[in-house]
Amino acid sequence: MRSPVWHPFHQHGLGEEIPLVTHADGAVLFTADGRRVVDAISSWWVTTHGHCHPRIMAAIRQQSEQLDQLIFAGWTHQPAEDLARALVAMMPRPLDYVFFSDSGSTSVEVALKMALGFHTHRGDPRHRIVVMEHSYHGDTIGGMSVGARGVFNRAYASLLFDVATVPFPSAGKEQACLDALERICAQGDTAAFIVEPLLLGAGGMLIYPAHILAEMRKICGVHGVLFIADEVMTAWGRTGTLLACEQAGIVPDILCLSKGLTGGSLPLAVTMATPPIYESHYSPDRSRQFFHSSSYTANPIACAAANANLAIWREEPVLDRIRLLQQRQADALGGLEGNGKIANVRQLGTVTAMDAVSPSEGYLSDLAPALKAAFSARSILLRPLGNTIYVMPPFCIEAEDLAATYQAIGEVIALLA
Ligand SMILES: *Cc1c(COP(=O)(O)O)cnc(C)c1O
């Protein structure tokens, strides 16, 4: 019988085979048909220290025997209290307040609502949101509204709200981006600028320099525009530092974290905010409280998993592992140098990307599924974005498995017309 499961970002009409995974360890997945597959994209950018990390699994087991779930409106539990304090200690000041939710998309929705609430409660209502070209911030209506428009959301365009867009600061065009941001912010009605720091993920692994990020932050500050850093993908070491913002020496007004927050084990997100944003909602007036929740907000088991992740960051040489992976990635990329079938070879921290040179481009080109299938046939999980092939492994990936990943990339691009 055909499976009743309706998969995300998957065209069932193409009849592609869907592998069944039974277990996982480190950077490796094991399938029901006996294959050992290298998870070279960290199960869609979430797994940081590896699948089934013993410390995280132990924390989940332990918490599941004490408290599974709790209403979080007006009630609290120790895993959430511990996590909030640990996050405040680990993230840059003054991101002193932690609001919980359960996915990257909802952390973005929360950030946007906080920003509008902030301006409204201060008696200076502003509604305009500024975004960067090619951005991705999630698949909810708000997340899509602040993300790039295209085939992903064409059918829902009538529901999306208007935003102002600044051009992506590609090499040589940085000033145009800054000028546009300055022009929009100077109009006075802009509530917030939301951006993926240094690396635009779903938009095609596009990298821009740290000094541009710093300039953008400065422009927002001058005009009282809240700066929202969507670090859902870039945080937790992906770009070589705990946060990408660190490399620009900046602190956002609002910070969105999710994917690697639990080490990639359970769904959880936080939106961190500075005191002025919290205080704008703080009042004896109940109509000014922050009106947002979801049923599983701050789930205790997910919080326990996140606490274990933070303990790993505090107590283990995570940045050394990241530096080692960064170097191995650079070496592997060097091996592809001069290959005429790829262009724009790039790296930021533990992430590498390259564009396959092909007459067919764009997300719906036939290239992406063909590449994906060719990698799968070689037992490598890679999922190109259009013609962009990228590698974003868990930090614990074995040298041989990374080598096998690049071996497969070499073989597959050699097959390109
Ligand atoms: C993945 C992602 C999101 C959405 O996160 P979900 O957990 O999939 O809802 C938002 N922003 C960025 C930058 C992302 O990479």
Side-chain angles (χ1 to χ4, degrees):
M1 194 189 87
R2 185 200 282 196
S3 167
V5 176
W6 190 346
H7 285 266
F9 279 79
H10 183 86
Q11 180 44 273
H12 285 274
L14 295 176
E16 288 168 29
E17 187 226 348
I18 299 184
L20 179 70
V21 173
T22 51
H23 57 292
D25 183 24
V28 177
L29 308 174
F30 297 90
T31 64
D33 60 2
R35 292 197 299 150
R36 178 188 184 280
V37 177
V38 178
D39 184 356
I41 60 165
S42 299
S43 277
W44 244 359
W45 320 349
V46 298
T47 312
T48 50
H49 313 297
H51 287 278
C52 295
H53 190 283
R55 287 185 77 170
I56 299 173
M57 296 304 108
I60 291 172
R61 261 195 307 275
Q62 195 181 0
Q63 183 56 40
S64 70
E65 288 167 8
Q66 296 191 8
L67 178 66
D68 55 345
Q69 165 66 10
L70 179 73
I71 175 175
F72 207 61
W75 290 76
T76 197
H77 52 78
Q78 206 56 48
E81 293 293 330
D82 292 346
L83 179 55
R85 282 175 179 78
L87 282 168
V88 169
M90 185 175 278
M91 297 298 158
R93 300 298 306 278
L95 292 164
D96 293 346
Y97 293 95
V98 180
F99 190 93
F100 287 95
S101 61
D102 28 43
S103 72
S105 302
T106 52
S107 76
V108 166
E109 300 277 346
V110 165
L112 298 174
K113 286 172 72 171
M114 279 180 181
L116 264 68
F118 168 80
H119 293 290
T120 299
H121 298 323
R122 285 169 25 123
D124 174 22
R126 302 179 177 198
H127 62 273
R128 188 191 303 277
I129 305 289
V130 191
V131 308
M132 183 181 278
E133 181 190 18
H134 304 312
S135 293
Y136 176 78
H137 298 291
D139 285 336
T140 51
I141 296 292
M144 286 191 291
S145 294
V146 295
R149 307 295 163 97
V151 65
F152 314 97
N153 42 47
R154 196 159 289 146
Y156 331 115
S158 57
L159 281 187
L160 306 186
F161 57 78
D162 284 334
V163 294
T165 305
V166 299
F168 178 77
S170 51
K173 296 188 184 145
E174 294 92 343
Q175 197 56 43
C177 168
L178 298 177
D179 290 348
L181 185 61
E182 169 69 35
R183 203 171 337 107
I184 296 163
C185 289
Q187 289 172 12
D189 58 350
T190 297
F193 173 52
I194 180 166
V195 71
E196 299 166 80
L198 303 188
L199 176 61
L200 273 54
M205 298 297 155
L206 306 175
I207 300 167
Y208 63 93
H211 71 270
I212 299 300
L213 182 62
E215 282 302 316
M216 296 191 300
R217 207 281 168 253
K218 205 179 292 169
I219 291 169
C220 290
V222 166
H223 295 287
V225 170
L226 294 179
F227 188 95
I228 304 172
D230 177 355
E231 293 237 21
V232 168
M233 187 272 272
T234 50
W236 306 109
R238 285 295 177 201
T239 69
T241 44
L242 175 64
L243 292 182
C245 280
E246 250 175 84
Q247 298 178 38
I250 62 158
V251 182
D253 297 299
I254 302 179
L255 173 67
C256 300
L257 299 174
S258 183
K259 290 185 170 116
L261 174 57
T262 58
S265 62
L266 284 174
L268 186 70
V270 294
T271 307
M272 297 181 69
T274 57
I277 296 166
Y278 178 83
E279 282 154 16
S280 68
H281 293 78
Y282 188 93
S283 156
D285 177 358
R286 285 173 57 217
S287 75
R288 282 172 66 156
Q289 68 197 17
F290 189 54
F291 289 103
H292 191 95
S293 181
S294 54
S295 305
Y296 288 101
T297 289
N299 172 264
I301 300 173
C303 287
N307 279 321
N309 170 47
L310 267 67
I312 290 168
W313 270 89
R314 282 192 305 266
E315 296 160 19
E316 298 183 19
V318 178
L319 284 172
D320 290 345
R321 292 173 194 155
I322 285 170
R323 271 189 285 273
L324 179 64
L325 173 58
Q326 190 166 333
Q327 188 55 51
R328 284 182 176 157
Q329 284 271 64
D331 294 344
L333 217 47
L336 292 171
E337 204 111 311
N339 189 314
K341 291 190 171 169
I342 51 171
N344 304 325
V345 175
R346 54 201 185 271
Q347 176 176 10
L348 182 66
T350 69
V351 183
T352 62
M354 66 206 78
D355 301 335
V357 177
S358 158
S360 93
E361 286 188 4
Y363 188 85
L364 290 190
S365 86
D366 290 337
L367 194 59
L371 291 171
K372 191 178 70 156
F375 290 124
S376 178
R378 288 164 176 77
S379 289
I380 306 289
L381 168 50
L382 283 175
R383 191 185 158 96
L385 292 154
N387 63 326
T388 299
I389 301 168
Y390 68 91
V391 183
M392 191 193 296
F395 307 148
C396 63
I397 187 171
E398 299 287 348
E400 309 82 72
D401 289 331
L402 192 65
T405 302
Y406 281 88
Q407 166 86 25
I409 291 174
E411 287 173 19
V412 168
I413 58 182
L415 299 174
L416 289 176

